Amino acid sequence: MASNEATKKVDPARAPARGTAAPAPQRPAAPARPAPKRASPLEFLAQVRDEGRKVTWPTRKETTVTTIMVFVMVVLASTFFTVVDQVLRFVVGLILGIGA
């Protein structure tokens, strides 16, 4: 039986035959980027202030409603995971013959 190496077929469109390695084509170099302009600390703070003015801040009512919803979801999630934990504890206890 012939070796695997001898039975391989080479696709001429994809790769050259063994022993006839062609040099890889050279990729063009990426153009150099100009150095970004550095802002002074005062300019930076002015830019931060300008960006802060563009933000749409939530109203007090929106913040209150969102906070209440977070607390409700925390209570629901903790209740769910407590129930799941107790069910799994009971099932494992039955399987291992411990407790209950």
Side-chain angles (χ1 to χ4, degrees), residues 6-71:
T7 59
K8 284 185 179 176
K9 294 182 181 178
V10 177
D11 183 5
R14 295 183 114 197
R18 286 189 168 248
T20 59
Q26 294 294 325
R27 293 176 61 183
R33 293 183 183 175
K37 180 183 172 263
R38 294 188 59 127
S40 71
L42 291 177
E43 287 178 89
F44 175 75
L45 291 175
Q47 291 172 0
V48 168
R49 190 172 174 188
D50 291 340
E51 290 297 321
R53 287 188 184 126
K54 295 178 187 176
V55 174
T56 304
W57 297 100
T59 63
R60 182 175 295 274
K61 183 179 178 183
E62 290 171 335
T63 305
T64 304
V65 169
T66 305
T67 303
I68 291 170
M69 288 306 299
V70 167
F71 283 122

